[in-house]
Amino acid sequence: TSEYDVHISNWLDYFALEQFCFVDGEELIRDPFPVMRELEKCLGLRTYYQTGHFVYNSEKSYYCLNTKQGVQCLGKSKGRKHPEILEETRQHLNEHFHSHNIRLSRLINREFTWNKRL
């Protein structure tokens, strides 16, 4: 989570909401095919991606892209285990970002999976 609402509210002064494509990164990680289909549609692109383009890498716990050149995964920093944080710290962060997340959802008329957990 972040303070995306602050920046997007400024951008909406210059661009219509329909000119933006928003991707939920957690949905992309969990199931990339429907997210990429939605993104192709939003961008007005021809359908390209098929379910076979995405291969789950159990070592990284992450999907990789299956191309003619072979399976390509993101760099070493992706799919890594994140350090544990204190529950008190997590709660403080949730409290700080909560109003930003609510405002973002209202600005773009979309609920994100990470917002439902807070």
Side-chain angles (χ1 to χ4, degrees), residues 67-84:
T67 69
K68 292 178 183 176
Q69 293 78 30
V71 176
Q72 299 175 349
C73 292
L74 295 174
K76 292 180 182 180
S77 67
K78 297 295 180 185
R80 69 190 184 285
K81 297 270 187 218
H82 293 285
E84 292 292 321

Side-chain angles (χ1 to χ4, degrees), residues 89-101:
T89 303
R90 182 180 310 279
Q91 184 62 34
H92 174 75
L93 291 170
N94 285 344
E95 289 171 9
H96 172 78
F97 289 115
H98 181 75
S99 63
H100 290 285
N101 293 338

Side-chain angles (χ1 to χ4, degrees), residues 84-115:
E84 292 292 321
I85 62 171
L86 296 172
E87 187 56 37
E88 179 181 326
T89 303
R90 182 180 310 279
Q91 184 62 34
H92 174 75
L93 291 170
N94 285 344
E95 289 171 9
H96 172 78
F97 289 115
H98 181 75
S99 63
H100 290 285
N101 293 338
I102 298 300
R103 184 165 182 246
L104 173 64
S105 292
R106 288 180 181 154
L107 274 172
I108 67 172
N109 302 314
R110 181 168 176 189
E111 186 77 20
F112 289 94
T113 55
W114 40 263
N115 202 23

Side-chain angles (χ1 to χ4, degrees), residues 18-33:
E18 296 75 31
Q19 292 180 273
F20 291 89
C21 298
F22 297 99
V23 173
D24 185 328
E26 290 188 9
E27 287 180 16
L28 181 64
I29 289 168
R30 187 177 57 258
D31 192 5
F33 176 66

